[in-house]
Amino acid sequence: MAKDVIILAFESSCDETSVAVVKNGTEVLANIIATQIKSHQRFGGVVPEVASRHHVQQIIRCTDLALKTAAVGYQDLAAVAVTYGPGLVGSLLIGLMAAKTISWAHNLPLIGVNHLAGHIYAANLVKPLKYPAMALVVSGGHTELVQVSAPGEFTILGDTRDDAVGEAFDKVGRMLGINYPAGKTIDQWAHEGQDTFKFPRAMLEEHNLDFSFSGIKSAVINTLHHAQQVGKTLNKKDIATSFQKDVVEILTTKTRWALEQYPSQQLIVAGGVAANNGLRTSMQQEFGSQLEVIFPPLRLCGDNAAMIGAFAYIKYQKQQFSDLTLNADPSLDFAYLQEQ
């Protein structure tokens, strides 16, 4: 009987300090997350220096708690995994230093993980991935359609040319008077208002797989500014409804085009915006009868170390280890289709 592969995983790419213990890439023994949302709310977004300081304060505590919760010691581990990009460079370096220290001190293999691969492989904690799969990665920093042709093999088919979808939600939310992060409240308001506004749905006239959310964001902001200038009161919940409806239509349409060109066995919706109820409903209704649609549970949509451990298992099986020179890569991404 093969020995279980237990991986200690670190995630510190942005404003969550997370340490997890994952067995065989599918079983989460512990997933500790120390969030910083309250610290950043007063600034209306993530402040990199503040985030880095919080990681320094929390990472040892999270590590100890993860090992205690999982009831394992360093002697039980097969490897240490860590996000090395993309993300905030200062934040990434905190996780890297912790992981490399443990790797060196306990003579454990080190596995560097692409944060986006982690988001996609959070789905593997729900159901085994089947290949080829299509992934829609939607977060505060990324909006990408990714083909997963085989375990650990990723190709970007299309991405955003400007704002990421989560970024657009937060900027519109700020104009609506919603605290950062705004996605959850906009989603709630979108189910309480009426679709009475018509905002531009950029790039739907272009039959490609790229996205653009700058136009719709600017249209919402301009609508609110104009109303303020003329002394008109707009129903904010109606604006949220129309904005979310149009964004979801863009994401759903582009995903449909991707699946028509690249038939897949599964559709994975990953990243923080995958928690959006409107998007989940649309994706399930549109594609659920054609193929298996997988959404990570809400606790695994945001940044967390369990997803890092899930993908690290794939790299462990391939013996794709890093050495102690592994450094942060804030702009790390997958290869684009035309680059291959």
Side-chain angles (χ1 to χ4, degrees):
M1 184 176 179
K3 183 180 178 182
D4 289 328
V5 175
I6 299 176
I7 295 175
L8 178 69
F10 291 85
E11 159 57 34
S12 65
S13 63
C14 192
D15 60 342
E16 259 83 31
T17 309
S18 183
V19 183
V21 180
V22 180
K23 182 168 74 174
N24 299 330
T26 58
E27 185 179 348
V28 181
L29 303 182
N31 188 30
I32 308 303
I33 303 172
T35 185
Q36 305 175 12
I37 288 177
K38 290 184 178 179
S39 295
H40 297 284
Q41 277 182 336
R42 65 183 183 273
F43 303 110
V46 178
V47 179
E49 177 62 24
V50 173
S52 297
R53 291 182 182 182
H54 275 284
H55 289 310
V56 171
Q57 294 168 356
Q58 296 293 337
I59 200 155
I60 294 176
R61 191 177 308 168
C62 289
T63 303
D64 291 343
L65 184 55
L67 292 170
K68 182 178 180 180
T69 302
V72 299
Y74 291 111
Q75 71 279 1
D76 301 309
L77 301 177
V80 182
V82 61
T83 300
Y84 72 102
L88 303 175
V89 63
S91 294
L92 290 166
L93 288 171
I94 307 304
L96 275 163
M97 186 57 66
K100 289 198 285 187
T101 299
I102 292 172
S103 170
W104 177 82
H106 297 278
N107 196 29
L108 293 166
L110 179 68
I111 302 174
V113 172
N114 183 322
H115 177 78
L116 303 177
H119 272 306
I120 292 171
Y121 270 79
N124 202 50
L125 298 171
V126 180
K127 292 182 179 179
L129 267 57
K130 301 175 183 177
Y131 307 95
M134 182 69 65
L136 174 66
V137 181
V138 278
S139 68
H142 295 84
T143 306
E144 298 178 349
L145 280 163
V146 180
Q147 184 185 43
V148 189
S149 55
E153 302 293 330
F154 308 97
T155 304
I156 295 178
L157 305 177
D159 71 353
T160 182
R161 297 185 181 179
D162 40 61
D163 290 3
V165 63
E167 181 182 2
F169 267 89
D170 285 333
K171 289 179 177 177
V172 167
R174 187 179 307 151
M175 288 302 300
L176 292 173
I178 301 170
N179 281 340
Y180 168 87
K184 184 176 181 179
T185 301
I186 290 180
D187 189 24
Q188 179 183 334
W189 285 9
H191 292 82
E192 298 172 358
Q194 301 296 319
D195 180 19
T196 57
F197 294 87
K198 300 302 176 186
F199 299 122
R201 292 166 292 171
M203 300 190 68
L204 286 187
E205 72 282 357
E206 300 179 34
H207 205 81
N208 59 40
L209 301 181
D210 287 336
F211 302 90
S212 172
F213 295 102
S214 178
I216 187 172
K217 172 206 69 180
S218 297
V220 174
I221 292 173
N222 290 338
T223 298
L224 289 164
H225 277 158
H226 181 262
Q228 290 172 356
Q229 290 169 352
V230 300
K232 184 179 180 181
T233 301
L234 300 179
N235 187 314
K236 293 182 178 181
K237 291 185 177 180
D238 289 350
I239 290 178
T241 301
S242 297
F243 169 71
Q244 177 161 301
K245 180 177 180 295
D246 290 341
V247 167
V248 167
E249 182 175 347
I250 293 168
L251 293 171
T252 303
T253 300
K254 294 283 186 170
T255 301
R256 182 171 65 249
W257 292 349
L259 289 169
E260 289 170 356
Q261 297 177 52
Y262 303 92
S264 304
Q265 294 196 62
Q266 290 175 329
L267 170 62
I268 301 160
V269 185
V273 184
N276 183 282
N277 287 311
L279 180 60
R280 286 179 173 240
T281 299
S282 178
M283 289 289 170
Q284 190 62 52
Q285 289 178 346
E286 182 76 17
F287 306 112
S289 62
Q290 307 168 28
L291 75 172
E292 193 171 38
V293 182
I294 304 178
F295 300 93
L298 296 182
R299 69 183 183 279
L300 297 179
C301 287
D303 294 348
N304 67 90
M307 68 185 193
I308 303 304
F311 182 63
Y313 180 71
I314 300 296
K315 298 192 76 172
Y316 181 89
Q317 289 180 306
K318 296 181 177 184
Q319 299 290 287
Q320 293 178 344
F321 302 132
S322 304
D323 59 33
L324 295 179
T325 65
L326 179 66
N327 202 356
D329 186 348
S331 300
L332 182 67
D333 212 333
F334 303 129
Y336 286 80
L337 182 64
Q338 61 268 27
E339 293 177 356
Q340 295 191 334

